[in-house]
Amino acid sequence: MREYTRFRQEFIVQVVSEYYSVLQNKDVARNEWKSYQSFLGNLDRERALAREGRRTQSDVGRLEQAALNSRRSWVASVQRYESSLDRFKITLGLPTRVNVVLDDTDLVQLRELGIEHPALTADDAVQVALAARLDLMTEADRVADAERRVTVAANGLKPDLDIVASAQVDSDPDGNAFDLDFDDAILDAGFAIDLPLDRKAERNAYRAALIGQERARRAHTLSADTVVLEVRNASRALEEARLSYEIALTSVDVNRRRLEEQELRADVGRGTTIDLVDAQNDLTDAQNGLTAALIQHTLARLAYWRDMGILYIGRGGNWEPLEVPAASEPYPLSTTE
């Protein structure tokens, strides 16, 4: 049961990771499409300015090439999304030919809520894991079983003292078979002592039990060290995901303002094409990075609960949210909101 429960925890993290990966690829395809449409709009404006002599053909050609690159990125992102969706269908046991469209509600909710970063320190998380990890409990039980086998084997090395008793009562040979003559009953009693002079088999069994006990203790120690390592790595990954999300938030705001500025400058004929192209590409990359950071933190938080052994799975197969202290208020989607 412990192994099955642990499997459910690991399996749901795997499924959720693939699920959010599909949503991320879908969002990337959407961002690439918006970027491509923006390039087309900017290209129409630059062509109009070129006809008025306010733009050179080199500037228009640069923007045309940027639009072509954007279209190629959009097509590639759609292919990645469809491939990840097909792999997710296989994970769910569905035929790849089945038409499946994932709802964006979960991703929208993540954006609205921001990240929920727990306030647990790495040391506190390690203590929780050492007490809650089911696989570590199993290793501890194996140590207890090995210690009991040593006790049983040691008992076999002690001398044996048996009490032996017997009784014999004959029946009358000329009478009824059930007519017993208790007056002539024969009673015997004594002791049988087996001194530990030849205990080779028992010594070998005891030695094997000691080796098994030491092996079980080492396995338990190794498991405990592995749990500590997993929890510490999960804590580091969660902190890295939090920082990545903060950086991605700032990056989106900065590049959105850059693009707005370049579009205003282009409207009055003062901007440069290369600055406009760079601003649009950087904003698209920042938006994709923000989605990736948001999903990365969500998955890192699930892995954190899993490695601590407190990722509880409900009857419906979904994980049950944990009420834990937050490090701060949830981070918003944008620092300007």
Side-chain angles (χ1 to χ4, degrees), residues 156-314:
L157 296 175
K158 297 178 180 179
D160 297 331
L161 176 61
D162 298 328
I163 299 177
V164 180
S166 63
Q168 179 179 346
V169 180
D170 297 331
S171 61
D172 187 358
D174 297 331
N176 189 347
F178 294 98
D179 187 10
L180 302 179
D181 186 4
F182 289 97
D183 294 333
D184 294 332
I186 301 175
L187 301 176
D188 291 327
F191 296 94
I193 300 177
D194 185 8
L195 298 178
L197 301 178
D198 185 10
R199 288 287 194 272
K200 183 177 181 180
E202 288 77 0
R203 287 197 304 270
N204 292 339
Y206 179 67
R207 189 176 295 111
L210 289 176
I211 294 174
Q213 181 188 39
E214 186 62 25
R215 184 183 296 115
R217 288 176 176 175
R218 291 182 179 180
H220 179 259
T221 301
L222 178 60
S223 297
D225 291 340
T226 302
V227 167
V228 173
L229 176 62
E230 291 175 350
V231 173
R232 289 189 176 277
N233 286 339
S235 178
R236 298 185 186 103
L238 189 61
E239 181 63 21
E240 179 183 358
R242 182 184 68 84
L243 294 176
S244 297
Y245 181 77
E246 292 179 343
I247 294 173
L249 276 176
T250 304
S251 179
V252 168
D253 289 338
V254 169
N255 287 286
R256 183 181 289 116
R257 291 194 297 268
R258 278 184 57 203
L259 181 59
E260 292 174 353
E261 178 185 358
Q262 292 304 321
E263 288 179 341
L264 291 175
R265 291 174 63 88
D267 288 338
V268 298
R270 298 180 57 186
T272 62
T273 304
I274 187 170
D275 289 338
L276 180 62
V277 171
D278 289 343
Q280 181 63 61
N281 289 334
D282 290 344
L283 176 60
T284 303
D285 293 340
Q287 289 172 336
N288 293 337
L290 179 60
T291 301
L294 180 61
I295 292 177
Q296 177 188 3
H297 187 276
T298 301
L299 297 179
R301 182 161 48 89
L302 286 179
Y304 196 40
W305 301 148
R306 177 202 62 197
D307 292 339
M308 290 172 61
I310 55 176
L311 180 61
Y312 296 107
I313 314 300

Side-chain angles (χ1 to χ4, degrees), residues 18-254:
E18 293 189 30
Y19 171 71
Y20 278 122
S21 177
V22 177
L23 290 181
Q24 178 182 347
N25 290 331
K26 184 179 180 181
D27 186 70
V28 168
R30 185 185 299 110
N31 291 336
E32 295 293 347
W33 166 256
K34 293 179 180 178
S35 176
Y36 175 53
Q37 294 302 309
S38 180
F39 273 119
L40 293 180
N42 291 330
L43 183 58
D44 291 339
R45 182 188 58 227
E46 293 298 306
R47 285 171 176 169
L49 292 175
R51 287 192 295 268
E52 297 176 359
R54 300 169 61 184
R55 284 287 187 272
T56 65
Q57 290 300 320
S58 178
D59 292 334
V60 175
R62 184 187 299 274
L63 198 56
E64 287 177 344
Q65 183 60 48
L68 292 175
N69 292 338
S70 179
R71 181 181 181 185
R72 180 174 56 190
S73 298
W74 167 59
V75 172
S77 65
V78 171
Q79 298 299 324
R80 288 193 297 271
Y81 163 66
E82 292 178 347
S83 297
S84 62
L85 181 59
D86 286 341
R87 288 193 297 269
F88 187 58
K89 292 177 188 177
I90 294 175
T91 299
L92 297 181
L94 299 175
T96 55
R97 63 180 179 272
V98 175
N99 185 24
V100 175
V101 179
L102 297 186
D103 191 358
D104 294 332
T105 302
D106 288 336
L107 185 57
V108 172
Q109 290 178 349
L110 283 180
R111 286 174 169 171
E112 292 176 350
L113 297 175
I115 63 174
E116 298 178 3
H117 196 75
L120 286 174
T121 65
D123 292 337
D124 291 338
V126 166
Q127 295 302 318
V128 172
L130 293 177
R133 280 284 292 264
L134 298 179
D135 50 345
L136 195 58
M137 295 180 186
T138 300
E139 292 295 337
D141 289 344
R142 288 172 178 166
V143 172
D145 292 339
E147 292 174 349
R148 282 192 291 269
R149 283 191 288 269
V150 170
T151 301
V152 173
N155 187 62
L157 296 175
K158 297 178 180 179
D160 297 331
L161 176 61
D162 298 328
I163 299 177
V164 180
S166 63
Q168 179 179 346
V169 180
D170 297 331
S171 61
D172 187 358
D174 297 331
N176 189 347
F178 294 98
D179 187 10
L180 302 179
D181 186 4
F182 289 97
D183 294 333
D184 294 332
I186 301 175
L187 301 176
D188 291 327
F191 296 94
I193 300 177
D194 185 8
L195 298 178
L197 301 178
D198 185 10
R199 288 287 194 272
K200 183 177 181 180
E202 288 77 0
R203 287 197 304 270
N204 292 339
Y206 179 67
R207 189 176 295 111
L210 289 176
I211 294 174
Q213 181 188 39
E214 186 62 25
R215 184 183 296 115
R217 288 176 176 175
R218 291 182 179 180
H220 179 259
T221 301
L222 178 60
S223 297
D225 291 340
T226 302
V227 167
V228 173
L229 176 62
E230 291 175 350
V231 173
R232 289 189 176 277
N233 286 339
S235 178
R236 298 185 186 103
L238 189 61
E239 181 63 21
E240 179 183 358
R242 182 184 68 84
L243 294 176
S244 297
Y245 181 77
E246 292 179 343
I247 294 173
L249 276 176
T250 304
S251 179
V252 168
D253 289 338
V254 169

